[in-house]
Amino acid sequence: MTTGEPLIVLDGVNKWFGPLHVLDDVSLSVGRGEVVVVIGPSGSGKSTLCRTINRLEPINSGTITFDGTPLPAEGKALARLRSEVGMVFQSFNLFAHKTILENVTLGPVKVRGEKPAAARERGLALLDRVGIANQADKYPAQLSGGQQQRAAIARALAMQPKAMLFDEPTSALDPEMVGEVLDVMTSLARDGMTMVVVTHEMGFARHAANRVIFMADGRLVEDAPPAEFFANPRSERAKDFLSKILTH
Ligand SMILES: Nc1ncnc2c1ncn2[C@@H]1O[C@H](COP(=O)(O)OP(=O)(O)OP(=O)(O)O)[C@@H](O)[C@H]1O
């Protein structure tokens, strides 16, 4: 895995939900091609961190820079940024009344102005890449959860993003489907995609991440390569967390 110059930079980011200080002076730099896995107890701010990166959540103070440009708060610049940062959620969020291929080609045609035939060809190649080309003409409800999540990944990739954010992408899946989604994510990581991944899948963190970030109470408590973090967590919070979960 290679890593390069910073692509996503958060500096002194604070976020409150009412009285709740959900992100507490968060500074983080994610290099091009780097895979950062964010772990931590429930309610520690992991999802919020992920969502601030493409401004699904506004921040109260601090700065976020993407590819050298400060994140815009709104307007066309924000729409462009969102298309450069793919996001995959726990719930697949596919359009129920569109086929899998239509779900994948919609953004490229409507937002990027691609010709439908070209978008279709690229969409089919992406569905092939995530292993569901044979499901292209089906509707989301006809697919398993794992296949739907792979379709959601293909849809995000169709926008040719510079980075991908994953917010607990396997949490809603039946256990036997987790592996097929993690395999696609691992392959993306190996291909050099810049990724921020909120997950409870410690096997993925161990094998695919360059860095593991441990969050607690809205703070980045640890930031270390996975081998180091799992073998030798420094904080009591991380030790306590790891003692309660399966780490393989
Ligand atoms: N839209 C919102 N309005 C008010 N409070 C919110 C909102 N979204 C999140 N919170 C609160 O902010 C805190 C952090 O939430 P967040 O979802 O970022 O945590 P998390 O670490 O991702 O948790 P989990 O692992 O359970 O998903 C929680 O206490 C949550 O209840």
Side-chain angles (χ1 to χ4, degrees), residues 17 20 22 40-49 57 167-168 198 200:
F17 283 120
L20 199 63
V22 187
S42 180
S44 55
K46 307 181 298 292
S47 282
T48 308
L49 172 70
E57 292 288 355
D167 189 4
E168 299 201 21
V198 177
H200 300 295

Side-chain angles (χ1 to χ4, degrees), residues 58 62 77 83 89 91 183 194 201 235:
S83 75
F89 301 89
S91 53
D183 284 349
T194 307
E201 295 295 334
S235 65

Side-chain angles (χ1 to χ4, degrees), residues 14-161:
N14 285 285
K15 164 84 185 165
W16 280 268
F17 283 120
L20 199 63
H21 201 177
V22 187
L23 295 179
D24 184 353
D25 196 24
V26 168
S27 295
L28 167 70
S29 176
V30 180
R32 213 175 281 275
E34 203 168 23
V35 178
V36 173
V37 166
V38 183
I39 67 172
S42 180
S44 55
K46 307 181 298 292
S47 282
T48 308
L49 172 70
C50 205
R51 293 164 64 83
T52 59
I53 293 175
N54 65 356
R55 284 277 155 106
L56 283 176
E57 292 288 355
I59 56 176
N60 294 101
S61 65
T63 57
I64 305 178
T65 310
F66 183 78
D67 205 11
T69 309
L71 270 195
E74 56 194 15
K76 277 194 181 153
L78 179 61
R80 192 174 57 244
L81 168 102
R82 289 224 174 107
S83 75
E84 290 182 347
V85 185
M87 181 124 187
V88 174
F89 301 89
Q90 182 174 338
S91 53
F92 326 121
N93 292 356
L94 296 167
F95 292 111
H97 301 294
K98 295 197 179 295
T99 67
I100 295 301
L101 183 59
E102 285 165 353
N103 265 280
V104 172
T105 55
L106 194 69
V109 172
K110 296 267 186 226
V111 180
R112 291 175 54 86
E114 286 183 26
K115 296 244 164 49
R120 187 184 156 80
E121 196 174 322
R122 232 164 41 73
L124 281 170
L126 285 167
L127 290 177
D128 188 45
R129 176 170 185 194
V130 302
I132 53 167
N134 56 350
Q135 310 293 326
D137 296 324
K138 297 220 174 113
Y139 288 88
Q142 296 174 286
L143 269 59
S144 71
Q147 289 171 326
Q148 288 187 59
Q149 193 58 304
R150 286 187 278 154
I153 294 172
R155 181 180 58 178
L157 291 174
M159 299 299 280
Q160 305 193 341

